[in-house]
Amino acid sequence: MKREPVKRITGRRLQAMRAALFARNPFCAECERNGIDKLATQRDHIISLEDGGPDDETNEQGLCNSCHEAKSKQERIAGRRRQVAGR
């Protein structure tokens, strides 16, 4: 059974959440795990909204563009595999 994705936060509330996230930790979480200091540029959902993750500060991390793109690509691949398996 496919679950409904959580509604995304948008507008001024989203901008305030991004600013608060980057103020708490301006560095990319994935790069930090690898011992690299690189500024985060993207607000990322640790568990994607499509997979049921909440759109709040408990499920967010800052990522640089390259880490965000790599994570998003892996999530798209996993989603396609789930679709094929569900057929």
Side-chain angles (χ1 to χ4, degrees):
M1 178 181 199
K2 186 175 180 177
R3 69 180 89 163
E4 288 294 316
V6 174
K7 182 170 173 22
R8 284 186 179 273
I9 294 171
T10 60
R12 292 180 193 261
R13 184 170 173 215
L14 172 60
Q15 295 307 313
M17 291 175 77
R18 284 176 48 85
L21 169 64
F22 297 145
R24 283 193 308 274
N25 184 0
F27 296 103
C28 172
E30 186 63 30
C31 287
E32 279 190 314
R33 285 189 277 276
N34 292 304
I36 301 166
D37 289 335
K38 189 170 181 182
L39 289 177
T41 56
Q42 302 288 324
R43 176 181 178 257
D44 176 68
H45 296 100
I46 298 166
I47 300 170
S48 71
L49 299 183
E50 194 170 272
D51 288 333
D55 195 4
D56 63 25
E57 65 279 346
T58 67
N59 187 40
E60 67 181 9
Q61 63 183 349
L63 294 179
C64 66
N65 286 336
S66 57
C67 288
H68 187 262
E69 181 57 35
K71 182 175 181 279
S72 295
K73 182 177 180 181
Q74 290 303 313
E75 289 171 345
R76 284 190 299 273
I77 290 168
R80 287 187 197 124
R81 286 185 180 145
R82 282 193 302 269
Q83 282 181 330
V84 169
R87 289 184 183 174

